[in-house]
Every structure is written in structure tokens, then in C-alpha cells.
Amino acid sequence: MAEENPQALNYVPEVILKKRKSSEAWALRKKEQFQMRNFQSKKTKDYIKKPEDYVLEYRNKEVDFIRMKRRVKRKLPGVLPTKSKPLIIIRIQGKKDMHPSTRKVLYSLGLRRIFSAVFVRPSAGVMAKLQKVEPFVTYGYANLKSIKDLIYKKGNTRIEKRTVPLTDNNIIEQELGKFGIVCIEDMVHQIDNLGPQFEEVVKFLWPFELNKPAEGLRGSKTLFKDGGDTGNREDLINELINKMN
């Protein structure tokens, strides 16, 4: 009987083995993350509020309402007549700790979401509203660079219940052409100079949705001038806009 020749073993390079092991470990990690995400989601859905949660939420809202009434009694800060620049208001706080009256004022300013922002023309009426919602917003005078950057990067409008980015001047001309505004530069000019069509441009713009800054906000309701986040930043608001845009 003839001897059989032994067959050579298939050789798998060490690099391939390491890569295969790494891929298996990565797949296991992804599977664990997916399972944990599903567990957390289910846990959140199944969560039932305790009575003390409702009590705490109610107390926070009542405290906010009392503080708002105190703020309204303070002397209203005058609008600087020499500062003919638009105000930009950014909502930086406010969820379950807001009284419905506070939320109503924020909504009237167009600030329905945290980190949303709007341009407004400075006036006594606007300053009175800002005084009511001071712990939840920060504001100041936007410069030309901030106005341009916001509209070019974050500019949107609302057409037929759809949010449409301002990437085509034809959209602007169709909606604002009757006011002599046909492009983004015309919009920037109206806002920066508080032009006669300022309100029309602001109404056309959907509130800006900014990013949460990596730094610059501490989560404090203390006024900015006292070392906190909220209230008037005047020209320094542009530094925050740059971080959030």
C-alpha cells in the first residue's frame, strides 16, 4: 500500500487573524450598545411619574411665576437710541420649570425650542417681554458678520408647512420681491440697518436652530453681567453666536 502524501495545512496570515478578531469584538460591542439602547428606550417609555415629581414640577412653575412678577415690577431698562442695531434673542433654557405665562411670552417671540434664535427690532415692548423671560434667554446686538453667517448657514423659511433652506434666491424673490428684496444680501441689509422692510424679512425667516456650544454656557439663570448666562450681553452676544453657529 502506497504511502499517502500529507496535505499541507492552510496558512492564515497573522494580520488576517488579528483583523478578524478585531471585527468580531467590534460586532459584539455594537450588539451590546444596541441592546442597551433598546433597554433604555423601553425604560423611558415605561417610566411612571411619582406624585413628588408632579409636586416639584408645580412648585418650580409657581416659583418662576412669582419671580417673573417681581422682575416686571423693576424699572424697565431703556433702549439705547444711539444703538441702531438689531437685537438677537437666543433661548438657552426652559423646559418643565416654566410657568405657562412665561412659555406664552417665549412663544410670542418665536422661541419654541431651546437654542432657537430670532432677530427683533429694539423697542419698549420687546424689552418688557425680555424682562419677563430673562432667566431663559440671552440677547444682544448682532453685528454684520453674525447676521450674514446666521442667514447663510442656518437660514430657513416656511413654505406650505415645510421648512425650506435658503439656498435659492428665487425663493426669496417669490416671497419678498414685492418689497424690493430679491436675494440674501438684500435681507442682510434690511436686518443690519433696521430697514423699512425689517419686519417682513424677519417674518419670512424661520427661527434659527443653533447648536449647543461646547463652552460658553454654564446652565446658570444668573444674569450675564453677574457671571451667569442669561440677560443682556450687548456686543458680546456675537462671541456666543460664533460658538453656536
Side-chain angles (χ1 to χ4, degrees):
M1 186 174 179
E3 293 184 0
E4 295 181 359
N5 294 326
Q7 293 182 352
L9 295 174
N10 291 329
Y11 172 72
V12 180
E14 187 178 355
V15 175
I16 300 296
L17 291 173
K18 285 183 178 180
K19 189 174 181 182
R20 188 182 297 168
K21 187 176 180 181
S22 176
S23 298
E24 289 173 355
W26 179 84
L28 284 172
R29 283 199 305 272
K30 294 299 289 184
K31 184 179 179 181
E32 288 174 3
Q33 289 173 2
F34 180 74
Q35 289 173 344
M36 182 60 70
R37 193 159 53 239
N38 284 349
F39 173 75
Q40 292 290 348
S41 177
K42 186 178 179 181
K43 187 178 176 182
T44 303
K45 289 177 183 177
D46 294 342
Y47 176 74
I48 299 173
K49 276 190 175 182
K50 298 177 182 178
E52 50 265 35
D53 293 332
Y54 287 103
V55 172
L56 181 62
E57 191 175 315
Y58 175 78
R59 283 179 180 171
N60 287 338
K61 289 179 180 179
E62 289 304 304
V63 168
D64 173 52
F65 184 63
I66 292 167
R67 288 176 177 171
M68 183 180 75
K69 289 171 73 175
R70 288 176 183 168
R71 288 193 301 272
V72 171
K73 289 180 181 178
R74 295 203 309 254
K75 185 179 178 181
L76 186 68
V79 179
L80 298 176
T82 55
K83 204 76 174 179
S84 57
K85 298 293 290 180
L87 275 176
I88 184 165
I89 310 169
I90 306 173
R91 178 177 170 181
I92 56 174
Q93 298 205 44
K95 283 189 176 180
K96 296 178 181 178
D97 55 345
M98 276 195 306
H99 191 272
S101 299
T102 307
R103 185 177 287 105
K104 187 176 180 181
V105 176
L106 282 173
Y107 282 12
S108 72
L109 291 167
L111 301 170
R112 291 180 171 267
R113 296 183 179 182
I114 295 178
F115 303 133
S116 58
V118 292
F119 290 115
V120 296
R121 187 189 294 271
S123 69
V126 167
M127 298 308 292
K129 286 184 177 182
L130 289 175
Q131 202 170 38
K132 291 179 180 179
V133 298
E134 206 167 42
F136 305 102
V137 299
T138 187
Y139 56 93
Y141 298 102
N143 60 27
L144 178 60
K145 181 181 182 300
S146 294
I147 296 168
K148 268 191 173 184
D149 287 349
L150 279 173
I151 296 179
Y152 274 105
K153 292 181 182 179
K154 304 282 187 182
N156 291 294
T157 188
R158 196 80 168 171
I159 298 176
E160 295 179 356
K161 298 182 179 181
R162 291 185 301 110
T163 304
V164 180
L166 298 178
T167 54
D168 188 352
N169 283 331
N170 289 327
I171 298 172
I172 299 170
E173 187 173 4
Q174 286 173 10
E175 300 295 323
L176 299 176
K178 56 188 174 184
F179 303 110
I181 300 167
V182 297
C183 62
I184 288 180
E185 287 300 322
D186 290 343
M187 294 173 64
V188 170
H189 177 78
Q190 287 292 326
I191 293 174
D192 183 49
N193 295 284
L194 294 175
Q197 308 303 334
F198 176 88
E199 279 73 22
E200 296 298 333
V201 173
V202 170
K203 194 189 302 181
F204 171 71
L205 281 169
W206 191 248
F208 300 101
E209 295 182 3
L210 306 183
N211 304 315
K212 182 179 180 180
E215 56 181 20
L217 292 179
R218 307 174 188 84
S220 169
K221 290 184 180 179
T222 308
L223 292 176
F224 179 72
K225 64 180 182 180
D226 297 328
D229 294 333
T230 65
N232 192 359
R233 294 178 182 239
E234 297 193 358
D235 294 325
L236 293 176
I237 192 70
N238 295 289
E239 294 179 9
L240 182 62
I241 293 171
N242 188 47
K243 294 175 182 177
M244 300 180 74
N245 194 3

